[in-house]
Amino acid sequence: MGTSVLSLRIDEELLERLRQHAAKRGMSVQDYVVRTLIRDDFDERFQSAVDETEEFYGRA
């Protein structure tokens, strides 16, 4: 899998909060943001799978 570049323009307050969250985990801001996006994407896909399963089998 290849990589791409995503540029974001964010205000100083948000960047500082991201720095603090990343520092607590010993991560760079870039790694923190990427992991957060991956986690959120997984949560959304997992919830979609649960919804589809419940729809297929009928809600309990």
Side-chain angles (χ1 to χ4, degrees):
M1 175 170 62
T3 61
S4 297
V5 174
L6 172 66
S7 295
L8 299 173
R9 189 177 302 244
I10 59 175
D11 64 25
E12 282 295 319
E13 183 180 322
L14 176 56
L15 180 57
E16 186 55 36
R17 287 197 330 251
L18 289 170
R19 283 183 180 136
Q20 291 172 4
H21 288 291
K24 287 179 187 176
R25 291 159 182 82
M27 303 169 71
S28 68
V29 172
Q30 178 179 338
D31 288 342
Y32 176 78
V33 170
V34 168
R35 284 185 181 229
T36 301
L37 291 171
I38 289 169
R39 184 183 66 234
D40 287 347
D41 180 55
F42 171 79
D43 290 346
E44 287 179 22
R45 288 182 289 136
F46 180 75
Q47 187 59 52
S48 294
V50 169
D51 292 344
E52 289 175 20
T53 301
E54 287 179 345
E55 187 176 310
F56 181 77
Y57 288 107
R59 296 189 186 261

